[in-house]
């Protein structure tokens, strides 16, 4: 029955894998409707183009003043270096958990466990992934270049070209960081330490006004079209060093852990499916599993043991205690992520107030992600509808009670965001408008998270969709777009303050009025949540 | 000659200890049944040997090579409890691909035909396994595990989902592999297989509590 076992050399491996790819390609292309595929490609291209134009032409393209340009020249490179370092930190951490490559489960069983050169088996998968990474870098770079062109002096082609090259380099560096960590099997602590150094070094450059870090050199390249910017040699070396990261990654890719690859394979499949059906809650849960961010076995603070005096029964108290118990089991990484998101939101608020209004998209997205994490007690109830159905309380009021703790969490994060914004932008240091903005922001983000969780994935073929006929597709689109838009409304008071200041008017009434408008929308959401009665919610 | 050797093998998942310093040697030609409750560590041991999981400590050797290494992968054939197959390859295309990746000797197609007949898959070799029932997918996975060269065959719960004729064929194929000189380790509770096994290894809470020729009654007693 058994044969003498032999192993395949790299050439034979490539041949065998090539045969497989051909056979699978033949099978897949048998049923392809080419006209439909070309139409899809056309639509995707059109959407990407629209995104580039829309993202670069949103309001707020005011030119910087002379003193601000001096700041950009002096501090810009180090800040860009810090941002790149932070993205590489995320890459390194993801790689330490097995990313970025994701294998099909049969590839793990039949290819990675076969006696062949793993490098030859893994690299084609890496190349395929790199194509997507480069496309993202290209589009993001073009958008960034176009945005910079709007606010900074310098020739348009130069800004676009530098934006595209920078976007490609950044995407490659982040992918490379993750691949180095997974290929070299770096432990999470080591990967995090490397990432922290990559953030701290350009930060040191920023404060010491030096240019010692290669990431700062890369930052010099990103502002090269600016008149009076430093000559290019150092900047070019920075770009080349950044581009060495993916090269180094590709060399060591064969060392990828099969255990991590197998864990990711199934989860990535589910994650893709959840994204396809636009199930945001499933995406959050799968992401947590993928990142291995479980809840803490030991709570941050002790809870009352059984056997003591029973607390006074109250549905409000029950939900508040349930919320704080859940909060006590948040993993450290989630706490850090929430604080980082708050810092991003604060930085965006400062940027918006200074005139870069498109940052509302970044800030709104950060607040939406934070809101999804904050409403975890409510999400747990929605995840287990059968258990909640046993309580002698209507589902809607119970959901409302579960939102008090998330509101307090978002209020505290709002204070953090205010601290960051005030640090960066002196115009945002007044406490009264800040308080209104923070409260409105906390309400909006909690409502956004709650609506997203309770609404769940869009249900196709609903009664309303059938009534609307051809226009029915707008319902699921609205359901998915509304929560992030609501979270973005958290920045409405900041925009109002910016407009008021520009028109030489006192900002406080504008802020208060805008905050009331946001609160009114939240109130309507609250009424909708309170009216939930169906078991599956 | 010892084909499978576990020396103080330990596997931890965060705070959970799945295997506690397990020592186990299996010689060529032995037919070993691995039994134990759910969560006793059977699948973990087999997955460690296949190189799908990484050891926390200890040593696991396949034909003298560390589990997961190139030589170990060449010698170790693993049939997981859940069949893992490509959606876009037919049964015969799967066979060809696996045979190529494992550099199977030229006579592999004849061997494949024999196994296909024995498993009752002859009519379906041109079909896509994605359209198969659980039992047929399991049979396809068995075929793939057997057409490649190996000196250790590890099988996790192979009888689940098979019809009686499939179970009989499976039993014969596993016995045949051991008779041909392979070390065969099977995680199962199927009594017929336990009767046929040369050794029964009972695992409980990640440790071996019994190893040898064990009667049905003793197995049932140990499993509670």
């Amino acid at each position: 029955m058994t044969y003498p076992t032999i192993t395949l050399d790299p050439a034979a491996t490539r041949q065998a894998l090539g045969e497989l790819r051909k056979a699978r390609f033949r099978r897949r292309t048998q049923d392809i409707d080419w006209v439909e595929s070309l139409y899809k490609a056309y639509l995707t291209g059109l959407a990407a183009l629209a995104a580039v134009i829309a993202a670069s032409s949103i309001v707020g393209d005011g030119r910087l003043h002379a003193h601000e340009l001096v700041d950009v020249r002096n501090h810009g490179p180090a800040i860009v270096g810090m941002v790149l370092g932070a993205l590489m930190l995320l890459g390194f951490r993801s790689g330490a958990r097995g990313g970025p490559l994701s294998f099909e489960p049969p590839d793990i069983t039949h290819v990675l466990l076969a006696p062949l050169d793993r490098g030859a088996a893994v690299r084609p998968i890496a190349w395929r992934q790199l194509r997507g990474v480069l496309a993202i870098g290209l589009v993001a770079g073009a958008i960034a270049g176009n945005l910079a062109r709007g606010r900074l002096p310098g020739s348009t082609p130069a800004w676009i070209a530098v934006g595209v090259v920078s976007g490609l380099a950044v995407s490659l560096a982040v992918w490379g960081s993750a691949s180095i960590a997974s290929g070299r099997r770096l432990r999470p602590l080591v990967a995090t330490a490397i990432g922290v150094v990559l953030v701290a070094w350009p930060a040191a450059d920023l404060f010491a006004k030096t240019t010692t870090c290669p990431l700062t050199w890369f930052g010099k390249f990103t502002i090269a079209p600016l008149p009076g910017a430093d000559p290019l040699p150092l900047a070019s070396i920075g770009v080349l060093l950044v581009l060495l990261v993916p090269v180094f990654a590709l060399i060591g890719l064969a060392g990828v852990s099969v255990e991590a690859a197998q864990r990711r394979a199934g989860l990535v499949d589910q994650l893709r499916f959840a994204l396809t059906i636009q199930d945001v809650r499933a995406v959050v849960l799968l992401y947590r599993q993928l990142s291995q961010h479980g809840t803490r076995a030991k709570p941050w603070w002790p809870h009352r043991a059984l056997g003591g005096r029973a607390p006074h029964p109250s549905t409000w108290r029950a939900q508040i205690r349930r919320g704080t118990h859940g909060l006590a089991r948040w993993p450290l990484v989630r706490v850090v992520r929430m604080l980082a998101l708050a810092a991003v939101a604060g930085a965006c608020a400062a940027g918006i107030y200074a005139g870069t209004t498109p940052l509302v998209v970044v800030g709104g997205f950060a607040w939406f992600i934070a809101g999804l994490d904050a409403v975890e007690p409510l999400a747990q109830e929605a995840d287990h509808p059968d258990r909640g159905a046993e309580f002698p309380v209507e589902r809607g009021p119970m959901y409302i009670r579960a939102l008090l703790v998330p509101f307090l969490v978002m209020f505290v994060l709002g204070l953090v965001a205010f601290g960051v914004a005030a640090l960066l932008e002196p115009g945002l240091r007044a406490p009264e408008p800040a308080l209104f903005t923070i409260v409105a922001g906390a309400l909006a983000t909690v409502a956004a998270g709650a609506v997203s969780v309770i609404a769940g994935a869009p249900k196709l073929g609903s009664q309303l969709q059938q009534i609307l006929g051809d226009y029915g597709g707008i319902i699921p689109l609205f359901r998915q777009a509304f929560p992030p838009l609501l979270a973005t409304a958290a920045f409405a008071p900041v925009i109002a303050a910016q407009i008021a200041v520009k028109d030489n008017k006192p900002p406080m009434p504008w802020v208060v009025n805008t905050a009331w408008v946001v609160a009114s929308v939240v109130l309507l959401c609250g009424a909708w949540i309170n009216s939930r009665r169906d078991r599956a919610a | 000659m010892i084909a499978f050797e576990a020396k103080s093998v330990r596997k931890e998942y965060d705070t959970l200890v799945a295997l506690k310093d397990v020592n186990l040697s299996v010689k060529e030609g032995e037919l070993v049944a691995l039994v134990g409750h759910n969560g006793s560590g059977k699948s973990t041991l087999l997955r460690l040997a296949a190189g799908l999981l990484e050891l926390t400590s200890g040593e696991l050797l396949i034909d003298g090579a560390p589990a997961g290494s190139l030589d170990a992968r060449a010698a170790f054939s693993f049939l997981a409890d859940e069949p893992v197959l490509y959606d876009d390859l037919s049964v015969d295309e799967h066979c060809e691909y696996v045979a190529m990746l494992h550099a199977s000797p030229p006579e592999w197609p004849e061997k494949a035909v024999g196994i296909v007949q024995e498993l009752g898959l002859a009519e379906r070799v041109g079909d896509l396994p994605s359209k198969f029932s659980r039992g047929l997918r399991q049979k396809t996975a068995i075929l793939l595990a057997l057409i490649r060269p190996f000196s250790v065959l590890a099988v996790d719960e192979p009888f689940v989902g098979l019809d009686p004729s499939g179970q009989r064929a499976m039993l014969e194929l596993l016995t045949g592999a051991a008779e041909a000189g392979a070390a065969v380790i099977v995680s199962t509770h199927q009594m017929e297989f336990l009767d046929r096994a040369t050794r029964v290894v009972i695992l409980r809470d990640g440790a071996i509590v019994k190893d040898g020729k064990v009667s049905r009654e003793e197995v049932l007693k140990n499993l509670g």
Side-chain angles (χ1 to χ4, degrees):
Chain A
M1 176 69 75
T2 54
Y3 303 107
T5 51
I6 50 170
T7 54
L8 284 188
D9 59 35
T13 302
R14 278 193 292 274
Q15 193 200 338
L17 294 173
E19 296 282 336
L20 167 80
R21 270 196 299 276
K22 275 186 214 157
R24 298 187 69 193
F25 182 74
R26 271 197 307 272
R27 178 80 63 188
R28 277 199 300 267
T29 49
Q30 268 172 6
D31 303 323
I32 281 186
D33 181 342
W34 287 104
V35 176
E36 195 188 328
S37 301
L38 287 171
Y39 181 62
K40 274 183 190 165
Y42 163 75
L43 283 182
T44 308
L46 211 61
L49 191 68
V52 172
I53 294 168
S56 6
S57 59
I58 308 174
V59 286
D61 278 345
R63 290 269 163 182
L64 293 192
H65 300 295
H67 70 278
E68 290 170 322
L69 281 175
V70 172
D71 277 351
V72 171
R73 276 192 206 101
N74 291 342
H75 307 309
I79 291 172
V80 170
M82 281 170 66
V83 171
L84 176 56
L87 292 172
M88 288 174 78
L89 164 66
L90 294 177
F92 270 109
R93 283 183 52 81
S94 159
R97 297 186 300 260
L101 294 185
S102 58
F103 298 86
E104 287 181 68
D107 271 343
I108 292 167
T109 307
H110 302 300
V111 178
L112 292 190
L113 292 191
L116 44 77
D117 173 41
R118 264 196 196 146
V122 168
R123 270 189 285 274
I125 295 169
W127 285 119
R128 274 204 300 278
Q129 194 177 53
L130 264 176
R131 286 205 294 264
V133 167
L134 287 172
I136 293 169
L138 186 84
V139 173
I143 291 173
N146 211 8
L147 281 173
R149 172 200 63 84
R151 300 210 65 194
L152 299 164
S155 83
T156 298
W159 276 117
I160 301 290
V162 163
V164 166
V165 173
S166 304
L168 291 174
V170 167
S171 59
L172 284 172
V174 175
W175 180 87
S177 310
S179 300
I180 288 172
S182 68
R184 312 271 162 181
R185 300 200 191 183
L186 298 183
R187 288 166 50 193
L189 209 62
V190 176
T192 306
I194 293 172
V196 167
V197 169
L198 290 174
V199 179
W201 195 355
D205 273 346
L206 180 68
F207 290 109
K209 296 188 172 64
T210 52
T211 47
T212 59
C213 177
L215 299 187
T216 310
W217 304 347
F218 173 78
K220 276 183 174 294
F221 173 78
T222 62
I223 60 159
L226 207 60
D230 285 348
L232 273 176
L234 199 60
S236 307
I237 295 170
V239 176
L240 286 176
L241 287 175
V242 167
L243 289 174
L244 277 180
V245 175
V247 175
F248 187 58
L250 280 167
I251 294 167
L253 213 53
V256 63
S257 155
V258 178
E259 182 170 347
Q262 195 187 28
R263 187 179 58 240
R264 279 178 67 83
L267 289 171
V268 169
D269 260 4
Q270 292 177 50
L271 197 59
R272 282 193 187 123
F273 180 68
L275 281 169
T276 309
I277 61 166
Q278 298 161 35
D279 188 342
V280 178
R281 174 65 182 160
V283 169
V284 169
L285 289 176
L286 288 165
Y287 169 76
R288 281 182 195 161
Q289 281 185 53
L290 205 56
S291 335
Q292 297 172 281
H293 294 162
T295 43
R296 285 172 67 84
K298 194 178 170 200
W300 288 107
W301 56 86
H303 60 83
R304 189 165 40 199
L306 288 177
R309 196 164 58 86
H312 180 69
S314 145
T315 50
W316 275 104
R317 188 176 293 187
Q319 283 298 351
I320 291 166
R321 284 183 63 76
R322 188 255 170 274
T324 51
H325 286 166
L327 205 59
R329 296 197 183 264
W330 275 18
L332 179 64
V333 69
R334 196 182 303 169
V335 176
V336 172
R337 184 173 63 230
M338 297 284 267
L339 290 171
L341 287 168
V344 169
C348 287
I352 293 163
Y353 188 79
T356 311
T357 318
L359 281 174
V360 76
V361 178
V362 181
F365 186 69
W367 250 180
F368 177 57
I369 301 289
L372 283 176
D373 265 336
V375 297
E376 185 63 20
L378 169 89
Q380 287 288 335
E381 295 296 346
D383 286 346
H384 306 98
D386 290 347
R387 196 187 48 207
E390 294 166 5
F391 300 147
V393 189
E394 290 291 3
R395 186 174 298 279
M398 192 170 68
Y399 283 166
I400 292 288
R401 284 157 176 73
L403 290 176
L404 184 62
V405 172
F407 170 76
L408 294 174
V409 168
M410 287 312 301
F411 183 79
V412 172
L413 288 179
L415 289 174
V416 174
F418 166 64
V420 172
L423 199 70
L424 297 172
E425 177 54 61
L428 289 175
R429 285 176 190 163
E432 293 88 2
L435 186 66
F436 275 91
T437 308
I438 291 167
V439 171
L443 285 171
T445 43
V446 168
V451 169
S452 174
V453 164
I454 295 169
K459 295 166 188 68
L460 297 173
S462 70
Q463 216 169 12
L464 186 58
Q465 276 180 272
Q466 285 167 13
I467 293 167
L468 288 172
D470 285 348
Y471 299 99
I474 205 162
I475 303 290
L477 189 70
F478 176 75
R479 279 175 65 137
Q480 288 305 93
F482 178 72
L485 282 175
L486 187 56
T488 307
F491 293 92
V494 181
I495 296 173
Q498 180 218 30
I499 293 168
V501 169
K502 211 188 274 178
D503 293 349
N504 289 320
K505 289 175 183 162
M508 188 61 184
W510 288 64
V511 169
V512 173
N513 288 341
T514 319
W516 275 120
V517 173
V518 173
S520 307
V521 178
V522 171
L523 206 64
L524 290 174
C525 294
W528 177 77
I529 294 169
N530 196 50
S531 69
R532 296 298 89 195
R533 291 291 182 272
D534 51 324
R535 277 183 146 246
Chain B
M1 186 191 156
I2 293 172
F4 174 101
E5 191 168 21
K7 296 177 185 173
S8 303
V9 164
R10 189 175 179 86
K11 177 65 183 173
E12 296 171 5
Y13 300 101
D14 294 327
T15 52
L16 176 84
V17 183
L19 285 176
K20 297 171 191 162
D21 304 322
V22 166
N23 290 290
L24 178 68
S25 299
V26 181
K27 291 188 196 128
E28 287 178 346
E30 275 195 292
L31 188 61
V32 177
L34 211 54
V35 295
H37 286 295
N38 296 337
S40 60
K42 308 185 295 289
S43 296
T44 300
L45 182 60
L46 297 185
R47 286 179 170 273
L48 283 167
L52 282 167
L53 298 177
E54 284 153 25
L55 291 165
T56 303
S57 64
E59 200 178 11
L60 219 162
L61 304 173
I62 309 297
D63 264 0
S69 66
L70 202 63
D71 289 335
R73 297 201 308 260
F76 193 87
S77 181
F78 177 56
L79 176 57
D81 54 345
E82 191 62 42
V84 187
L85 302 162
Y86 292 100
D87 287 344
D88 51 1
L89 288 184
S90 62
V91 175
D92 47 2
E93 284 169 336
H94 267 94
C95 286
E96 185 189 311
Y97 181 50
V98 167
M100 277 177 81
L101 287 181
H102 288 271
S104 296
E107 61 270 24
W108 75 262
E110 297 153 37
K111 185 181 174 184
V113 168
I115 300 169
V116 159
Q117 298 287 359
E118 206 161 339
L119 288 167
L121 266 179
E123 304 291 315
R124 309 298 300 268
V125 286
D127 294 344
L128 294 174
S130 54
K131 310 262 191 277
F132 285 1
S133 66
R134 169 74 167 75
L136 282 175
R137 285 171 66 80
Q138 177 75 345
K139 286 179 180 178
T140 308
I142 295 162
L143 171 66
L144 297 179
L146 292 176
I147 57 161
R148 48 153 296 184
F150 58 85
S151 53
V152 180
L153 173 64
V155 193
D156 198 358
E157 302 286 1
F159 301 101
V160 176
L162 290 179
D163 51 31
S165 66
Q167 290 195 12
R168 271 196 302 278
M170 183 75 196
L171 202 57
E172 295 310 322
L173 286 167
L174 293 175
T175 312
E179 282 169 1
V184 180
I185 307 166
V186 182
S187 157
T188 184
H189 295 123
Q190 215 239 19
M191 286 300 167
E192 267 184 77
F193 183 82
L194 297 184
D195 291 341
R196 222 181 261 205
T198 50
R199 267 165 78 187
V200 176
V201 175
I202 303 178
L203 277 165
R204 189 189 295 157
D205 298 331
I208 294 176
V209 292
K210 211 95 176 168
D211 182 358
K213 191 72 191 161
V214 182
S215 68
R216 282 188 180 204
E217 291 70 30
E218 220 168 337
V219 171
L220 289 172
K221 196 175 130 195
N222 268 286
L223 293 178

